[in-house]
C-alpha cells in the first residue's frame, strides 16, 4: 500500500503569540516550530500500516523552506520519501488554495491511501483532508480512531460525539483524517535520523503545480480575544496565591 | 439572496446545536435584509419538517430520500449540492458538529465555495457578513470576509448562539426528492455503538480537579491526585492526557468526553482549547492554574492563578489541608 501523509509545520504549542503590525497575522519569524500534533498521529498510523502490509510512506508538506526541518523529522521516523511544496508565503492562499497545492502534488504520487491530522493546531480549520478528497474525487472519512485493511479496501472506526463510534468501509484510494490518540507516537532513532539525510525530498512549487492564489475568503484581521468573564487573578508568590485561593474556596465558594 | 440553515438530525431526533444555528440564521436574515430558510434531510422526516414549519422562517425545505436514512458524506453532499443549486442562498449556515465537519468542506468545495468553520459570531459590517473564529487553540480571534461574490458557507460553534432565542412563526414546507443513486455512495456505514459503559460518572461530581498538558509527565499526575484527595474531588483531564494513556478515557472532559457542571472545576495546566471548554464551561465556579496569562482557559475562569503549577499546587494542597483544619 502506498500511503501519502499530509503534514504541516506549526508554531510550538507554548508559543507566546503577538499580533503583527499589519494586524493580519502574528509575528512568527522567531517562533519555534514543530509538526502539527494530529499529523504526527497520521504519520504514525501510516508507518504502522506499512509495517503490517508493506508498501511505502510518502510525507507531503506545503510550507516555507524552514518546514524542511519537520519533513526531515518525518523521514527520520520512517517515511520513505517526501514531497515539499515550497512556498514562503502560504498566507496568500486561502485554505482551498493550499488544498489545491496538496491535491496537485498528491496526484503525482498516486497513493492508495491519504492520511492527515483531523485539524491543525494553528489555524484549526479541520477541513484540509476533506477538501483534498473532493478535489481528488476520492471517498473520505474524518476523526478516525482505527484503520484496518480489508480485501476490498479499508474498514475504519470513526469517532462520533458523546462517546459514540461507528465503523464504516470504503474502497481505496481514499482520504482519512486521523484523531489524536489513535496510536502511540514513536521517537526517531539515531539510525533513523542518519538515514533521513539520504532520503529523497522532491521540491515542488505553486508555479510548477499551476496553482495561483485566488482566495474566496480573506482573513481581514487577527487580534487577542476580549475576555467574556471577569476573572479574579490572584497575585503574589505561589504560597500567597495558594493561601488566597484556599480562603476564597472556604469563605466565598464554600466548598471546604 | 437568502440565508439557508442546514439542520441536523439522527434517527429523527434533532441535534441540539441545530437550534443554535437556526437562531444565528434568524438573526442574520434581518441584519442582512434577506429571507431565511431552513432545511432538514432524512428519510421519513416529515414531522421534523413540520416542526420547522412552526418557526419564524420564509421557507422550509424537507429533503426526503431513503438513501438519506443514515448519514454518509457522499449522500449528503449530493443532496445538499442539489438544494443549494436550486435555492441559490447567499449564505449557508451549519451547526459545527462532527457530521458537519465531515461533509460541509466537501459540499462547499463542490459548489465552488469555501467553508469558514467553527465560527463564534457573525457581524455585519458595511452590509457584508464578517465571520469571527478562533485560531491557535483559542489564543487569537480572526475576522473573515468573503473575497468574491459567491455563496458564504459558515459553521457555527457550539454555544455561540442560543437555542432559546429561536423565534416561532410559520413557514411553508417544500418537499424535495434529490436525484440520489446508491452507486454515488462509496461508503458503507455500520450501526453506531458505545464502548463499554463508563466506569466513572463525572457528571455527578460536585468538585473536579482536572489536569492538562501542563503537567508534562505521567508521574506528575500524583500531584493532581493529591489535590483532588485534599479537596474530596474527582480527578479528570483534558484529551491529550487520556490520549497518552496517563488516565483512562472515561476521565476525559470535553467534546469527545464527558460534559460536566460541578460546583468547582479546577483546570490545572489546561490551556482551554474549545474542545475542552465545551465540556466544562457550565461549571458554577472555574479555577484555572496556568503559566500562560493568555491561555484561553482564563476566558472562562472565575479565579485565576498565573504561575508554575509545580509550585502552586503543592502550596495549595497545604493551604487546603490547613483550611479544612
Amino acid at each position: 500500500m502506498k500511503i501519502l501523509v499530509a503534514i504541516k509545520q506549526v508554531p510550538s504549542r507554548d508559543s507566546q503569540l503577538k499580533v503583527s503590525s499589519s494586524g493580519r497575522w502574528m509575528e512568527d519569524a522567531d517562533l519555534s516550530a514543530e509538526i502539527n500534533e494530529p499529523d504526527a498521529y497520521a504519520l504514525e498510523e501510516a508507518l504502522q500500516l506499512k509495517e503490517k502490509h508493506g508498501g511505502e510512506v510518502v510525507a507531503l508538506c506545503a510550507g516555507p523552506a524552514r518546514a524542511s526541518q519537520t519533513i526531515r523529522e518525518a523521514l527520520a521516523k520512517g517515511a520513505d520519501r517526501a514531497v515539499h511544496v515550497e512556498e514562503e508565503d502560504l498566507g496568500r492562499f486561502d485554505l482551498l488554495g493550499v488544498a489545491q497545492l496538496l491535491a496537485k502534488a498528491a496526484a503525482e504520487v498516486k497513493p492508495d491511501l491519504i492520511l492527515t491530522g483531523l485539524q491543525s493546531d494553528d489555524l484549526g480549520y479541520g477541513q484540509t483532508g476533506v477538501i483534498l478528497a473532493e478535489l481528488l474525487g476520492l471517498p473520505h472519512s474524518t476523526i478516525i480512531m482505527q484503520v484496518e485493511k480489508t480485501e476490498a479496501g479499508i474498514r475504519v472506526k470513526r469517532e462520533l460525539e458523546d462517546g459514540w463510534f461507528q465503523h464504516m468501509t470504503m474502497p481505496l484510494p481514499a482520504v482519512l483524517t486521523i484523531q489524536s490518540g489513535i496510536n502511540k507516537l514513536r521517537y526517531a532513532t539515531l539510525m533513523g535520523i542518519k538515514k533521513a539525510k539520504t532520503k529523497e525530498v522532491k521540491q515542488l512549487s505553486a508555479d510548477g503545480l499551476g496553482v495561483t492564489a485566488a482566495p474566496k475568503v480573506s482573513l481581514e484581521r487577527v487580534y487577542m480575544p476580549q475576555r467574556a468573564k471577569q476573572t479574579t487573578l490572584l497575585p503574589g508568590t505561589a504560597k500567597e496565591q495558594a493561601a488566597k485561593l484556599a480562603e476564597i474556596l472556604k469563605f466565598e465558594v464554600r466548598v471546604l | 439572496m437568502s440565508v439557508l440553515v442546514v439542520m441536523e438530525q439522527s434517527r429523527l431526533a434533532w441535534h441540539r446545536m441545530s437550534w443554535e444555528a437556526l437562531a444565528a440564521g434568524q438573526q442574520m436574515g434581518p441584519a442582512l435584509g434577506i429571507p431565511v430558510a431552513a432545511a432538514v434531510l432524512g428519510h421519513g422526516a416529515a414531522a421534523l419538517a413540520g416542526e420547522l414549519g412552526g418557526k419564524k422562517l420564509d421557507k422550509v425545505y424537507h429533503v426526503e430520500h431513503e438513501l438519506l436514512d443514515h448519514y454518509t458524506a457522499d449522500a449528503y453532499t449530493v443532496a445538499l449540492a442539489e438544494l443549494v443549486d436550486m435555492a441559490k442562498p447567499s449564505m449557508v449556515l451549519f451547526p459545527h458538529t462532527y457530521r458537519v465537519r465531515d461533509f460541509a468542506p466537501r459540499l462547499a468545495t463542490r459548489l465552488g465555495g469555501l467553508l469558514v468553520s467553527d465560527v463564534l459570531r457573525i457581524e455585519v459590517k458595511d452590509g457584508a457578513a464578517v465571520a469571527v473564529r478562533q485560531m491557535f487553540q483559542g489564543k487569537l480571534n480572526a475576522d473573515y470576509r468573503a473575497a468574491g461574490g459567491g455563496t458564504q458557507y459558515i459553521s457555527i460553534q457550539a454555544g455561540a448562539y442560543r437555542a432559546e432565542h429561536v423565534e416561532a412563526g410559520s413557514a411553508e414546507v417544500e418537499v424535495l426528492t434529490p436525484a440520489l443513486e446508491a452507486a454515488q455512495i462509496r461508503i458503507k456505514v455500520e450501526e453506531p455503538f458505545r464502548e463499554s459503559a463508563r466506569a466513572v460518572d463525572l457528571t455527578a461530581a460536585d468538585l473536579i480537579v482536572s489536569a492538562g498538558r501542563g503537567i508534562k509527565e505521567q508521574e506528575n499526575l500524583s500531584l493532581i491526585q493529591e489535590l483532588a484527595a485534599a479537596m474530596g474531588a474527582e480527578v479528570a483531564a483534558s484529551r491529550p492526557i487520556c490520549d497518552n494513556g496517563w488516565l483512562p478515557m472515561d476521565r476525559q472532559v470535553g467534546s469527545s468526553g464527558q460534559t460536566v457542571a460541578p460546583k468547582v472545576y479546577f483546570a490545572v495546566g489546561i490551556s482551554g482549547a474549545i474542545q475542552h471548554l465545551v465540556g466544562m464551561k457550565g461549571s458554577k465556579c472555574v479555577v484555572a492554574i496556568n503559566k500562560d496569562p493568555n491561555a484561553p482557559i482564563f476566558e472562562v475562569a472565575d479565579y485565576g492563578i498565573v504561575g508554575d503549577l509545580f509550585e502552586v499546587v503543592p502550596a495549595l494542597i497545604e493551604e487546603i489541608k490547613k483550611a479544612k483544619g
Side-chain angles (χ1 to χ4, degrees):
Chain A
M1 200 161 31
K2 190 195 282 184
I3 308 172
L4 184 75
V5 187
I7 59 175
K8 181 180 189 183
Q9 187 182 56
V10 297
S12 305
R13 275 188 172 261
D14 47 9
S15 298
Q16 292 295 321
L17 302 177
K18 203 169 155 239
V19 176
S20 64
S21 54
S22 73
R24 288 179 170 233
W25 196 231
M26 30 115 227
E27 290 177 5
D28 58 2
D30 300 330
L31 296 180
S32 64
E34 60 191 15
I35 186 171
N36 177 48
E37 190 181 75
D39 296 343
Y41 284 101
L43 173 64
E44 178 62 37
E45 194 61 21
L47 296 173
Q48 291 189 14
L49 285 167
K50 180 197 154 178
E51 282 159 7
K52 229 178 276 173
H53 306 289
E56 188 189 21
V57 173
V58 184
L60 168 62
C61 181
R66 71 176 194 168
S68 59
Q69 177 60 32
T70 294
I71 293 170
R72 283 291 160 204
E73 283 165 22
L75 294 171
K77 282 187 172 186
D80 298 286
R81 59 188 173 98
V83 179
H84 183 182
V85 181
E86 197 175 325
E87 169 59 48
E88 277 313 309
D89 180 19
L90 266 190
R92 68 192 180 94
F93 296 91
D94 63 7
L95 169 61
L96 179 61
V98 173
Q100 283 165 339
L101 291 174
L102 296 174
K104 285 273 175 75
E108 289 186 11
V109 176
K110 297 192 182 62
D112 301 304
L113 181 63
I114 301 177
L115 303 182
T116 190
L118 82 164
Q119 64 190 21
S120 60
D121 288 337
D122 55 356
L123 299 176
Y125 295 121
Q127 299 191 51
T128 305
V130 181
I131 296 177
L132 201 51
E134 175 65 15
L135 294 174
L136 294 167
L138 302 178
H140 81 274
S141 190
T142 52
I143 321 184
I144 297 303
M145 288 298 286
Q146 197 182 305
V147 185
E148 309 161 50
K149 195 173 175 326
T150 63
E151 290 274 295
I154 46 171
R155 181 169 181 262
V156 301
K157 179 173 149 192
R158 168 168 154 74
E159 184 181 306
L160 307 177
E161 286 156 10
D162 297 324
W164 288 83
F165 298 90
Q166 187 174 35
H167 282 109
M168 49 190 66
T169 51
M170 69 190 79
L172 293 176
V175 181
L176 301 175
T177 77
I178 300 295
Q179 171 67 291
S180 295
I182 181 175
N183 48 40
K184 203 162 168 14
L185 299 178
R186 73 187 66 191
Y187 294 100
T189 60
L190 273 175
M191 180 61 90
I193 293 167
K194 214 170 152 192
K195 271 192 184 161
K197 294 184 180 139
T198 62
K199 287 178 177 171
E200 180 203 350
V201 179
K202 189 173 183 184
Q203 299 287 336
L204 298 174
S205 67
D207 288 347
L209 291 167
V211 177
T212 47
K216 294 179 183 301
V217 168
S218 70
L219 174 55
E220 293 236 304
R221 186 168 77 101
V222 298
Y223 49 100
M224 303 304 256
Q226 272 194 331
R227 232 162 238 172
K229 201 164 178 174
Q230 197 55 48
T231 307
T232 307
L233 288 178
L234 309 179
T237 63
K239 191 162 171 36
E240 289 161 357
Q241 290 172 318
K244 181 70 190 157
L245 181 56
E247 188 190 317
I248 289 167
L249 290 172
K250 183 164 183 173
F251 295 106
E252 290 179 37
V253 190
R254 296 187 187 179
V255 290
L256 292 185
Chain B
M1 300 278 277
S2 62
V3 178
L4 174 66
V5 183
V6 178
M7 304 287 284
E8 180 166 327
Q9 61 87 13
S10 294
R11 296 159 189 251
L12 305 181
W14 293 115
H15 192 299
R16 57 181 169 77
M17 282 168 61
S18 297
W19 300 111
E20 299 172 3
L22 191 67
Q26 286 184 332
Q27 287 180 32
M28 289 319 296
L32 294 166
I34 55 180
V36 183
V40 57
L41 286 72
H43 180 48
L48 298 182
E51 191 181 344
L52 279 181
K55 304 300 173 193
K56 188 182 165 200
L57 289 167
D58 296 280
K59 187 81 177 241
V60 171
Y61 296 107
H62 169 195
V63 183
E64 176 69 31
H65 201 289
E66 59 180 359
L67 293 172
L68 296 172
D69 195 23
H70 296 289
Y71 164 75
T72 58
D74 285 336
Y76 267 55
T77 304
V78 171
L80 280 167
E82 191 178 314
L83 174 63
V84 172
D85 269 341
M86 189 272 298
K88 296 193 172 35
S90 40
M91 175 183 282
V92 184
L93 299 180
F94 306 89
H96 189 70
T97 60
Y98 277 33
R99 179 185 295 178
V100 164
R101 288 160 69 176
D102 194 59
F103 78 80
R106 182 156 210 149
L107 173 70
T109 304
R110 188 163 302 177
L111 293 166
L114 177 57
L115 174 74
V116 180
S117 46
D118 209 7
V119 164
L120 279 179
R121 62 176 178 276
I122 310 169
E123 295 167 355
V124 176
K125 287 183 187 162
D126 318 319
V130 175
V132 183
R133 67 184 296 281
Q134 294 166 312
M135 280 183 171
F136 292 93
Q137 315 275 315
K139 286 184 194 166
L140 291 180
N141 277 6
D143 291 353
Y144 289 80
R145 203 187 271 262
T151 305
Q152 283 179 288
Y153 300 85
I154 294 172
S155 64
I156 305 288
Q157 187 174 93
Y161 288 79
R162 303 184 67 130
E164 62 267 31
H165 291 169
V166 168
E167 293 178 66
S170 77
E172 175 209 349
V173 178
E174 183 177 340
V175 182
L176 298 168
T177 309
L180 195 54
E181 289 164 30
Q184 290 171 304
I185 302 170
R186 295 165 288 187
I187 296 171
K188 301 266 173 294
V189 297
E190 300 170 29
E191 281 298 302
F193 64 96
R194 249 190 167 144
E195 311 243 277
S196 58
R198 280 178 179 150
V200 186
D201 183 11
L202 294 174
T203 61
D206 268 346
L207 302 171
I208 293 177
V209 177
S210 198
R213 275 176 202 276
I215 67 155
K216 293 201 173 86
E217 297 192 23
Q218 185 166 17
E219 298 78 72
N220 298 333
L221 265 181
S222 57
L223 205 53
I224 301 299
Q225 277 149 348
E226 255 183 80
L227 175 59
M231 290 285 306
E234 284 284 353
V235 173
S238 63
R239 176 149 195 142
I241 303 302
C242 301
D243 279 348
N244 285 341
W246 296 356
L247 277 176
M249 282 290 178
D250 56 12
R251 295 266 170 196
Q252 188 199 140
V253 168
S255 58
S256 52
Q258 302 195 43
T259 301
V260 300
K263 280 187 193 153
V264 182
Y265 187 90
F266 284 81
V268 184
I270 292 178
S271 67
I274 179 64
Q275 295 86 341
H276 187 73
L277 297 186
V278 297
M280 48 64 74
K281 65 184 179 189
S283 304
K284 281 164 207 76
C285 174
V286 175
V287 177
I289 302 171
N290 203 297
K291 68 175 176 3
D292 179 2
N294 294 320
I297 191 70
F298 290 117
E299 302 286 313
V300 300
D302 298 272
Y303 299 100
I305 291 180
V306 177
D308 181 352
L309 74 90
F310 298 107
E311 290 176 20
V312 174
V313 175
L316 184 58
I317 293 167
E318 204 176 299
E319 293 294 337
I320 285 170
K321 284 182 180 162
K322 237 195 274 173
K324 278 192 155 179

